[in-house]
Amino acid sequence: MPKKSKPPKATRPDIPGYGLPKSRKGLLPWKWADDRLRKSKQYWLATTRPDGRPHVMVVWGVWVNDEFWLSTGRTSRKARNLAANSHCVVCNEDSAQAVIVEGMAEVVDDKTRLEPVFVAYQQKYKMDIRGMGEPMFRVRPAVVFGLYEKKFGETATRWLFPEHKDFERKSSPRTARRRTQRKP
């Protein structure tokens, strides 16, 4: 398991019409988002079906070293969606202090790499998932939003993960189809 890197860059989200300040004053610290992602018991996972329709499901998971980890049945709708399009969104359970993670999921099966995740999962849920035989997905964030409802106008924050800067450029199957259908 890699050690935590430096905190991601905090910026203002681009939300036209909401009157957000242009200054950096009031931006939330990364620790604010990290704490909420670690402490949330349940999360919302949004994926996209192969035909383009959205799918959202509540899941258990753990936030370890700036990555979200979850397990799901290999033939579940979530797993099939992620196999077709790895782009996804993970949200903590508290919408009043919301943390929204946009990233890409991948299956990790290296037992050495998974051991700290298994330990975190067992501590959090009192359940050992080592022998379940289902895939473990890692969601690596590209951009994270922090939205604190009571102070939204002052504190709305977007964190950018530079190591995943190609996230926006990676195309989904639908985008790839549109590109191939364009006329020269």
Side-chain angles (χ1 to χ4, degrees):
M1 182 73 46
K3 297 214 183 236
K4 276 184 136 180
S5 56
K6 66 179 187 173
K9 179 182 177 184
T11 64
R12 283 282 174 221
D14 182 20
I15 311 174
Y18 281 80
L20 297 181
K22 301 218 183 289
S23 77
R24 296 178 50 81
K25 184 179 178 188
L27 289 175
L28 297 166
W30 175 244
K31 184 178 180 345
W32 185 91
D34 187 67
D35 286 347
R36 280 149 187 81
L37 288 166
R38 277 186 301 100
K39 292 175 183 174
S40 191
K41 182 177 180 190
Q42 298 171 92
Y43 303 84
W44 294 99
L45 174 68
T47 61
T48 305
R49 297 171 195 262
D51 66 5
R53 291 180 297 140
H55 179 261
V56 178
M57 188 58 63
V58 68
V59 297
W60 280 2
V62 292
W63 181 255
V64 178
N65 292 334
D66 292 345
E67 297 173 331
F68 181 73
W69 295 82
L70 74 137
S71 180
T72 188
R74 73 183 71 256
T75 60
S76 70
R77 169 53 50 205
K78 297 178 290 292
R80 293 189 325 244
N81 290 350
L82 291 171
N85 180 350
S86 64
H87 289 85
C88 61
V89 177
V90 177
C91 304
N92 67 320
E93 64 190 350
D94 184 359
S95 64
Q97 295 185 29
V99 182
I100 300 101
V101 177
E102 294 183 1
M104 294 177 68
E106 64 185 335
V107 173
V108 175
D109 55 16
D110 177 348
K111 299 289 185 217
T112 304
R113 186 162 209 149
L114 289 171
E115 188 56 30
V117 175
F118 292 148
V119 168
Y121 202 96
Q122 189 164 14
Q123 288 173 345
K124 188 174 193 176
Y125 298 108
K126 312 297 183 237
M127 183 177 182
D128 187 354
I129 62 170
R130 285 177 185 87
M132 290 181 68
E134 297 297 344
M136 287 296 300
F137 286 89
R138 171 179 65 181
V139 178
R140 297 174 62 206
V143 61
V144 175
F145 297 92
L147 305 174
Y148 183 22
E149 183 180 36
K150 288 185 179 178
K151 299 180 180 181
F152 174 80
E154 307 158 33
T155 63
T157 304
R158 174 182 58 193
W159 293 276
L160 303 172
F161 287 75
E163 61 271 24
H164 307 297
K165 64 184 174 226
D166 60 343
F167 171 80
E168 294 295 330
R169 287 190 292 265
K170 291 201 181 210
S171 60
S172 67
R174 180 178 237 167
T175 305
R177 278 195 305 273
R178 281 197 307 259
R179 280 193 194 133
T180 60
Q181 293 170 354
R182 288 185 185 154
K183 294 180 181 176

